[in-house]
Amino acid sequence: VGLAMVAIVLTIRSGDGRRIRDWMWERAWTRKWLEVIEGLSFRKVCFACLLAVLAHACLLFSCGLIFDSCGYAVPWSDRISVLALSFLAASLPLTIGGHGVREGALVWLLSTGITNAGTPLLPRDDAVVVAITLLCVLIATNFATGVLALWFEEPAEGRSEA
């Protein structure tokens, strides 16, 4: 999903994306996005991509720590594929923020063996432990990031600091 957005941004920013730009401008719900996209520089888009890659690498590393700390011997290739598929499932617009969908997909992928040639990677109970622990890690890191963003937020023009 993120790479698709980057491709759209880069296409619109180049001269080749005239049809996409016109389509977005005709619809009120995408017009605001278009105004934001046109205000982005190539440097900001690249920086956002770098931050997204680093965030997913940290998430993969933290999931690896969860597996290792619980004593589960899951190969890195399976960790990567299970996480990628569970986050893809979380991007479906079924719940707010994908909560529940991501965990359900993670439990299903770990306990059915669909990524490991039919052999389950973990028993269902252990897969639930991993999914809930990962959810707690995500909530904690998102909360901390939100607090830091509010702490370092610069006041908007015309708004005084309280």
Side-chain angles (χ1 to χ4, degrees):
V1 175
L3 290 177
M5 284 304 296
V6 170
I8 290 171
V9 168
L10 293 178
T11 303
I12 290 174
R13 299 284 301 159
S14 70
D16 301 332
R18 190 77 182 151
R19 271 187 24 193
I20 296 173
R21 187 195 178 290
D22 293 343
W23 181 87
M24 289 179 76
W25 189 256
E26 292 171 2
R27 286 146 184 83
W29 63 276
T30 58
R31 189 171 299 142
K32 184 68 176 172
W33 288 2
L34 185 62
E35 291 171 359
V36 170
I37 289 171
E38 288 181 338
L40 293 176
S41 66
F42 182 74
R43 184 177 176 185
K44 286 183 181 180
V45 171
C46 290
F47 184 67
C49 289
L50 176 67
L51 286 179
V53 168
L54 287 175
H56 281 86
C58 288
L59 185 62
L60 178 64
F61 180 71
S62 65
C63 191
L65 288 177
I66 292 170
F67 280 118
D68 293 340
S69 66
C70 293
Y72 305 135
V74 177
W76 276 98
S77 60
D78 289 330
R79 294 177 190 188
I80 292 170
S81 61
V82 163
L83 272 181
L85 291 172
S86 67
F87 275 88
L88 183 65
S91 68
L92 297 173
L94 300 175
T95 61
I96 297 174
H99 295 298
V101 176
R102 175 182 39 251
E103 289 74 32
L106 193 58
V107 169
W108 183 74
L109 289 167
L110 288 171
S111 63
T112 59
I114 198 160
T115 59
N116 195 24
T119 307
L121 295 169
L122 296 175
R124 186 174 299 270
D125 295 341
D126 294 343
V128 170
V129 169
V130 169
I132 292 175
T133 307
L134 184 62
L135 175 64
C136 292
V137 168
L138 286 172
I139 290 172
T141 55
N142 288 338
F143 179 75
T145 305
V147 168
L148 285 174
L150 290 174
W151 184 271
F152 292 111
E153 179 185 26
E154 296 179 14
E157 233 176 90
R159 190 177 86 186
S160 62
E161 287 189 42

